[in-house]
Amino acid sequence: MHDTTTLAGRPPSASHLTLSQIMDQHHTNLMGTVHGGRILNLIDSVAGVVAARHSDGPAVTAAIDETAFLRAVRVGDVVHVDARITWAGRSSMEVTVKVTADRWDRAVPPTDVATAHLVMVAVDDNGHPRPVPPLLPQTDGDRRRYREAQIRREHRLTLRRALLDGTEDA
């Protein structure tokens, strides 16, 4: 296993990724819009690639939180899933994902469709957590996103502790 003090840090730009896909009728629900689950699948897939690139190996999803669906996606929309590392700890990373969509046949500005924050954990060949490189925010935006990710992490940890404290009474 790697010693985290020897891992070279990386900027968010080193693993940033945008995936675009045209939505078709196979992606729709009974309402005629794209399944939220299909959008979640894209979010999770792209976040996994970003986390794997940052950590130089496999990473699994530990949590998906603060997912917000802002607008429906229709058949013929081109969905763009943009993901970046916003925080890295010992073995876990937060990946922030923004989803936008535009029409396949028109030059129109993309509209915001969804946002999500995922906690990904780097794992070794046995599925055990392994160290990840530190994140080196470079821009003001990177530093802001890092601070926001730290707040979300503290919130998740506080919630987990509160929920676990309540299980002793049950």
Side-chain angles (χ1 to χ4, degrees), residues 4 8 16 26 35 75 80 92 100 108 113 119 123-124 130 143-144:
T4 57
H16 174 248
H26 295 98
H35 275 283
V75 169
H80 310 279
S92 64
T100 60
V108 296
V113 171
V119 178
V123 294
D124 62 20
R130 62 180 174 78
R143 287 184 280 280
R144 177 186 49 78

Side-chain angles (χ1 to χ4, degrees), residues 23-75:
M23 297 291 106
D24 64 30
Q25 66 276 8
H26 295 98
H27 301 122
T28 60
N29 58 31
L30 295 175
M31 301 291 296
T33 57
V34 173
H35 275 283
R38 178 63 187 142
I39 301 300
L40 282 172
N41 177 265
L42 291 170
I43 288 170
D44 192 35
S45 295
V46 175
V49 172
V50 168
R53 286 180 174 184
H54 181 79
S55 67
D56 282 330
V60 296
T61 307
I64 300 178
D65 62 21
E66 298 187 34
T67 302
F69 292 100
L70 308 171
R71 287 188 180 77
V73 176
R74 301 172 298 149
V75 169

Side-chain angles (χ1 to χ4, degrees), residues 82-105:
D82 184 82
R84 68 182 67 240
I85 298 284
T86 50
W87 180 88
R90 192 189 73 72
S91 62
S92 64
M93 300 155 277
E94 183 190 84
V95 179
T96 294
V97 180
K98 179 179 179 182
V99 183
T100 60
D102 53 33
R103 294 301 293 168
W104 71 275
D105 59 350

Side-chain angles (χ1 to χ4, degrees), residues 3 5 19 38 46-48 50 56 83-85 114-116 120 125 134 156 165:
D3 178 358
T5 59
L19 171 86
R38 178 63 187 142
V46 175
V50 168
D56 282 330
R84 68 182 67 240
I85 298 284
T115 60
M120 310 296 290
D125 291 340
R156 282 189 294 270
D165 286 347

